Amino acid sequence: MGPLRRLIVIVLFDGVDLLDVTGPPEVFSLVQRETCDVTSYQIALAAETLDPVTTSAGVRVLPDITFREASTRSIDTLLVPGSVEVDSEGRVHALADPVVVDWVKTLATRTRRITSVCVGAHILAAAGLLDGKRATTHWSTAQQLAADHPMVEVDADPIFIREGDVWTGAGISACLDLSLALVADDFGETVALRVARQLVMYLKRPSGQSQFSVPLEPVSMTRRVEDLRHYVMRHISDQLTAADIAAYAHVGERQLARIFKSELGTTPAAYIESARVEAARNQLESTDVTLERIASTCGFGTTDTLIRAFRRQLDTTPTEYRRRFRAGSR
């Protein structure tokens, strides 16, 4: 018998959004490649029968197991995608097949973690799994979700939201961001970052928000720039300057500025501040340490400098950011 792997069951049904089904497995499959960990994930596509399922894109997908068979398994993560219909006036409506809703309700009792991507949140809500919880979905159906399920606190702004062991994601490509967050939760942020680089994506951490994302991780064209970016992160708590980076790279400051502009689209000073804000965001989301401590460990020196940087980068304050986006907070 081989090593046990985390079983991820993805729910299938006719009309399901194709990317919601195929995007997350691409993320999960890279974990084993990046870590050589054969105990990473096992993906199973589950449907009512083993007949081919026709997605919204017209592509047919073959289920691996039936819902009934899945209900006998120990599931690590239940991932629920969604589907929509568009009326004659171009309005989008999320769908929730009662049969699928009933099976999701059943499978939820067998899983450690429940997730929805895009309008799959409507299925979780119909199953009663979002009552009393904050949740997100695709912006186009957020009002419908709130109207149909008043017990759910709908927030259409975030890319994804975690409420304990229930995760909801926003629309379309955000399924990749949510999947990266799940990888970070399981294997740590370093592994998730490596996977994100392979996907040529920015890493969005748990509770990461689209309007608060700091693009620190574009894939660089040269190893030298990769090395410089890691140098910045290693010395984030120091009083790091562009001159320090130039000295480390054995180039002049003007040449360093040209390198950063051409490969990262920013200046060294702006990159350093973005890196510090990103580090501070992570601490605000995941710890209760004081602003003074965060300012020190992230290289800002004083809380005033920290606050000014947050206002420039995110148009908010560290205190307000923590209040809204502290992981697991309500």
Side-chain angles (χ1 to χ4, degrees):
M1 181 177 179
L4 294 177
R5 293 186 289 171
R6 295 173 174 84
L7 176 62
I8 297 179
V9 171
I10 301 177
V11 173
L12 289 185
F13 47 87
D14 281 332
V16 68
D17 289 335
L18 179 61
L19 184 59
D20 292 353
V21 173
T22 59
E26 288 289 344
V27 176
F28 301 136
S29 69
L30 287 171
V31 174
Q32 181 172 339
R33 194 176 95 178
E34 289 299 309
T35 64
C36 298
D37 184 353
V38 296
T39 65
S40 53
Y41 298 113
Q42 176 187 357
I43 308 297
L45 306 181
E48 190 173 7
T49 72
L50 294 179
D51 295 334
V53 168
T54 302
T55 67
S56 60
V59 176
R60 295 197 301 171
V61 179
L62 287 175
D64 299 305
I65 58 176
T66 65
F67 290 145
R68 190 170 302 280
E69 184 179 355
S71 69
T72 67
R73 305 281 188 91
S74 179
I75 303 170
D76 180 84
T77 303
L78 180 67
L79 194 151
V80 182
S83 65
V84 300
E85 64 179 5
V86 182
D87 65 21
S88 59
E89 297 182 3
R91 292 173 299 194
V92 177
H93 301 275
L95 303 176
D97 186 325
V99 173
V100 176
V101 170
D102 286 344
W103 274 115
V104 166
K105 189 182 304 184
T106 297
L107 295 175
T109 65
R110 302 283 303 170
T111 185
R112 176 181 71 88
R113 180 171 59 190
I114 304 164
T115 69
S116 68
V117 291
C118 199
V119 296
H122 293 258
I123 295 175
L124 293 192
L129 300 172
L130 298 182
D131 286 353
K133 292 182 171 61
R134 180 168 162 260
T136 194
T137 186
H138 192 278
W139 59 267
S140 65
T141 67
Q143 288 186 350
Q144 178 192 346
L145 183 61
D148 291 348
H149 304 282
M151 294 291 291
V152 181
E153 182 185 344
V154 179
D155 185 347
D157 186 40
I159 289 179
F160 51 84
I161 291 174
R162 178 182 186 178
E163 287 274 300
D165 292 327
V166 178
W167 305 58
T168 53
I172 315 299
S173 62
C175 69
L176 303 179
D177 298 288
L178 173 61
S179 300
L180 281 171
L182 297 175
V183 170
D185 192 50
D186 292 339
F187 293 94
E189 292 162 359
T190 299
V191 171
L193 177 56
R194 285 158 58 184
V195 171
R197 285 177 180 157
Q198 291 299 326
L199 293 165
V200 197
M201 287 181 62
Y202 297 155
L203 175 62
K204 305 292 197 306
R205 286 179 149 83
S207 298
Q209 315 298 319
S210 58
Q211 74 274 36
F212 288 104
S213 299
V214 179
L216 293 180
E217 302 298 343
V219 176
S220 302
M221 296 172 61
T222 66
R223 290 185 178 180
R224 177 170 65 174
V225 173
E226 282 289 293
D227 184 40
L228 294 180
R229 291 168 55 248
H230 286 288
Y231 174 80
V232 170
M233 296 310 298
R234 289 197 304 271
H235 295 273
I236 200 69
S237 62
D238 300 340
Q239 294 303 306
L240 191 64
T241 66
D244 296 325
I245 302 175
Y248 175 77
H250 302 292
V251 298
E253 289 189 54
R254 288 186 179 181
Q255 177 64 13
L256 181 74
R258 286 194 289 269
I259 292 171
F260 268 69
K261 184 65 175 179
S262 64
E263 295 211 27
L264 299 178
T266 188
T267 66
Y271 185 86
I272 292 170
E273 181 174 270
S274 293
R276 286 176 172 151
V277 168
E278 177 74 356
R281 286 178 60 240
N282 297 333
Q283 291 197 40
L284 291 167
E285 291 176 9
S286 60
T287 75
D288 293 316
V289 298
T290 64
L291 295 188
E292 289 79 4
R293 177 63 177 167
I294 291 174
S296 175
T297 59
C298 296
F300 289 105
T302 68
T303 56
D304 286 343
T305 305
L306 169 67
I307 291 169
R308 287 196 297 271
F310 260 65
R311 288 198 181 280
R312 276 192 298 270
Q313 297 273 344
L314 308 178
D315 195 27
T316 189
T317 66
T319 300
E320 175 64 13
Y321 185 90
R322 170 175 272 167
R323 187 188 68 78
R324 289 192 62 193
F325 302 124
R326 174 77 164 87
S329 66
R330 288 296 311 279

